[in-house]
Structures are given as C-alpha cells and as structure tokens.
C-alpha cells in the first residue's frame, strides 16, 4: 500500500504541473466535502490536508477552535463529530486526547451514514499520516530506497508522536536499523521498543548524538514536546546537547539526509538549511502530496490518477 500511495503522490506531482492536468485532478472529487476538525494547534498538518483536498476538488469546512463549536454548550466531542458526518463525506481531525481519533473512526463505522476519518494527530500517541509522508521523503531522498538504511531519531522520543508512528512503519522494510538518541528522561517508551523486538527490527538507545551521526543514512530531529509536560519532564533537561549544528554537517555521510517534522526551535541551526542534505522543507511539501494520495485511495480515484500520468 505504501508503494502504491507513493506512486500516486508522484503521479499527482506530474499531472498537476499544467492547468489541464490540475483541472482534471480537481474534478475527481468535486462532488465530495471534507471537514477539518483541529482541536489542537497546527500549521503544516492543517494546511497540507486543506491543500490536498483542494488538489482533488473536495470542498472543505473547518473548525480550529472548540470554543466556536457547540462543545462550549456542553455537547460531547462524539456528538460534535456525529454532527459533522451529517454534512460531509470525510472527517480529518486532530485531537489532544490519546485514542480519540481511533474511537471516532469506530463510531463513524457504526453510524447509519459511515464517514471515513483520517487522523491528523491523536494526543501524544500517533501521527500516522506524518509517518506516511516521512517514509515518502525517505523513499524519494535516499539512494536505493529505505531498505538497509540506518535512521537516527533524536530528541523528545517519549512524547514525539511523529517518531513513534515512523517506528511502526519501519516493519515494512528490510534491514532497517534504528538509533534512538535522547535524554534519559525522554527516551522512547516501552510499547515501541516491544514492537520493534517483536518484528526483529534492530535498535539501540544512547544519550550521545555525536557517535551516532557518522552511521546515519537519515537523521530525524525533533523538538521538545513541552505542551505534554504534565509531570515536569522537560524542566531538568539540557536539550542543547541534542541540537544539530552546521559543524555537524562534516560528520554525516554525503548521502545522509536531515529531517524534521517541524516546527523547530533551536534543535537545527538555521545555517544547516542551505545544505542539500537538509530536506525538511521538501519533507513538509511532501505532506501535501502524500495526503492527497491517501484521500484519493480512500475514495477510489487513485487508479484514475495513475492512468492519467502513464
């Protein structure tokens, strides 16, 4: 499925370069409507989904603050989402409560008018479409694809849902090795480590970034997730030890790529941006194409897109 989504994303890139192709793609789902319900702050995920919908012609509605919905009157979040399903054909949502998006999908599957639900992030647990665009970025950027590569994940791995979701998708590739670099307080949680063990995906953990850099085929940087700082985990952490500086460019392979789900703070020095191996701005744009490919797959127009580009 991942390979198919990537082929569709590539096809959309090609076809929409000119107006005739862009107009044809925008007609594919012009009879459909989508609701973007983002109960947490978002820039990239929201905008990439919004523009993915527009590429395929979906008309969109949005709620980005629950204080503008009937939840302030006491309506439950579940009833709010059921309300959306009366008007739209697709719900794309981000919610601060872990597991809420999955629960919503279960409710929608049982409704008289089932509506597909796409997660734009659920608490600190998962960010599945970010993982898809991350693998798409690896696929497009690394010589010979993802198989056999070493991915170094750096930073707040305990609460970074992007690295959690990306770790899950590594089971689809052969010979991948993961290196987790983090402060001891923010190390990857046992559920992910247990998953990797069950699927025989080798990994190691360290709190020292320097020695991990030369072996990396991809360095995946993350910021500290202090919006989830319920127990004060961040206060005692010297996060500067996990920053990537321009001087570190000489320590990585010429083919290594530097990724970041964004937004960033200080964990990647701005001077790094000019290096061709810094792909995080391309990674950001990849999100629009990968999410458009996913939406096209959900509505069954992916084959038409592939046929148009052949």
């Amino acid at each position: 499925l991942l390979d198919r989504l990537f082929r569709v994303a590539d096809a959309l890139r090609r076809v929409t370069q000119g107006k005739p192709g862009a107009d044809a793609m925008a007609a594919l789902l012009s009879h459909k409507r989508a609701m973007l319900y983002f109960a947490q702050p978002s820039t990239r995920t929201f905008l990439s989904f919004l523009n993915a919908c527009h590429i395929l012609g979906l008309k969109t509605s949005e709620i980005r603050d629950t204080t503008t919905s009937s939840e302030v009157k006491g309506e439950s979040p579940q009833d709010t989402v059921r309300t959306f399903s009366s008007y739209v054909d697709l719900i794309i949502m981000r919610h601060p409560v872990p597991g809420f998006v999955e629960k919503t999908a279960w409710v929608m599957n049982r409704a008289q008018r089932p509506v597909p639900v796409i997660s734009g992030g659920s608490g600190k647990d998962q960010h599945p479409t970010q993982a898809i665009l991350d693998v798409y970025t690896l696929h497009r950027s690394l010589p010979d694809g993802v198989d056999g590569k070493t991915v170094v994940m750096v930073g707040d791995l305990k609460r970074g849902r992007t690295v959690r979701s990306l770790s899950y998708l590594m089971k689809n590739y052969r010979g991948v090795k993961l290196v987790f670099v983090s402060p001891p307080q923010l190390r990857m949680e046992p559920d992910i480590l247990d998953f990797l063990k069950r699927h025989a995906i080798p990994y190691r953990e360290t709190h020292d970034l320097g020695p991990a850099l030369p072996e990396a085929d991809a360095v995946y940087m993350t910021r500290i997730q202090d919006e989830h700082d319920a127990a004060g985990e961040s206060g005692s952490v010297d996060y500067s030890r996990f920053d990537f500086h321009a001087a570190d460019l000489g320590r990585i392979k010429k083919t290594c790529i530097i990724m970041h789900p964004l937004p960033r703070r200080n964990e990647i020095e701005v001077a790094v941006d000019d290096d061709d191996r810094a792909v995080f701005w391309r990674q950001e744009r990849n999100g629009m194409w990968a999410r458009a490919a996913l939406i096209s797959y959900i509505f069954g127009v992916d084959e038409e897109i592939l046929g148009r580009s052949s």
Side-chain angles (χ1 to χ4, degrees):
L1 176 57
L2 287 174
D3 287 342
R4 182 176 183 83
L5 291 178
F6 299 161
R7 291 198 305 273
V8 174
D10 287 342
L12 282 168
R13 285 177 182 269
R14 292 191 299 270
V15 172
T16 57
Q17 287 179 0
K19 188 176 186 304
D23 289 346
M25 295 300 98
L28 289 175
L29 296 176
S30 59
H31 59 304
K32 299 292 185 181
R33 296 179 298 277
M35 164 59 79
L36 283 78
Y37 175 51
F38 276 61
Q40 271 187 311
S42 175
T43 300
R44 276 148 292 276
T45 303
F46 177 84
L47 286 175
S48 65
F49 267 121
L50 180 68
N51 284 281
C53 289
H54 292 170
I55 287 169
L56 297 169
L58 283 93
K59 300 172 181 65
T60 56
S61 303
E62 63 184 71
I63 290 181
R64 302 197 65 183
D65 187 342
T66 56
T67 62
T68 66
S69 77
S70 289
E71 288 186 48
V72 298
K73 303 175 185 177
E75 183 175 57
S76 70
Q78 289 86 355
D79 281 359
T80 296
V81 176
R82 285 293 297 267
T83 298
F84 300 157
S85 69
S86 298
Y87 304 107
V88 301
D89 306 287
L90 172 67
I91 298 171
I92 302 163
M93 61 184 298
R94 168 176 285 190
H95 203 277
V97 176
F100 183 80
V101 179
E102 182 179 3
K103 182 178 180 180
T104 299
W106 182 83
V107 170
M108 288 296 97
N109 284 340
R110 293 169 57 87
Q112 289 184 339
R113 185 176 182 271
V115 173
V117 177
I118 300 179
S119 174
S122 186
K124 66 176 185 178
D125 288 347
Q126 295 300 325
H127 199 345
T129 62
Q130 178 72 43
I132 293 172
L133 77 89
D134 288 341
V135 177
Y136 183 46
T137 301
L138 292 168
H139 172 79
R140 286 179 61 86
S141 304
L142 292 176
D144 306 317
V146 184
D147 289 340
K149 300 300 192 296
T150 297
V151 180
V152 175
M153 301 185 186
V154 186
D156 189 346
L157 308 183
K158 178 179 181 179
R159 303 171 300 183
R161 56 191 173 194
T162 63
V163 288
R164 291 173 55 82
S165 292
L166 181 57
S167 296
Y168 278 126
L169 287 192
M170 291 299 95
K171 73 179 179 63
N172 296 286
Y173 298 94
R174 299 186 302 274
V176 171
K177 175 182 171 185
L178 301 180
V179 181
F180 297 130
V181 184
S182 70
Q185 306 95 314
L186 302 175
R187 63 189 292 262
M188 185 64 81
E189 291 199 306
D191 61 328
I192 299 297
L193 302 183
D194 291 343
F195 174 87
L196 297 175
K197 291 173 185 175
R198 290 198 307 272
H199 290 85
I201 301 171
Y203 71 88
R204 80 169 193 273
E205 298 180 276
T206 178
H207 58 268
D208 193 352
L209 175 60
L213 291 177
E215 64 181 301
D217 295 295
V219 179
Y220 194 107
M221 302 294 296
T222 68
R223 66 177 175 86
I224 196 162
Q225 304 279 317
D226 47 13
E227 67 267 34
H228 300 298
D229 209 4
E233 296 99 327
S234 308
S236 60
V237 176
D238 178 12
Y239 210 66
S240 64
R241 295 172 47 229
F242 304 91
D243 293 347
F244 191 100
H245 300 281
D248 293 317
L249 291 169
R251 308 173 73 178
I252 61 174
K253 300 175 184 177
K254 292 183 178 180
T255 55
C256 178
I257 61 172
I258 306 158
M259 302 173 65
H260 195 303
L262 301 173
R264 67 171 162 183
R265 295 180 182 174
N266 301 311
E267 59 274 3
I268 299 181
E269 188 177 357
V270 174
V272 172
D273 293 16
D274 294 331
D275 193 284
D276 287 341
R277 293 169 291 181
V279 302
F280 33 88
W281 297 114
R282 281 173 271 169
Q283 177 185 356
E284 178 184 48
R285 184 167 173 79
N286 285 342
M288 178 177 69
W289 301 112
R291 286 166 172 140
L294 177 62
I295 292 169
S296 75
Y297 174 79
I298 288 171
F299 286 109
V301 297
D302 51 324
E303 191 67 42
E304 189 170 348
I305 294 169
L306 291 172
R308 176 88 185 195
S309 69
S310 59

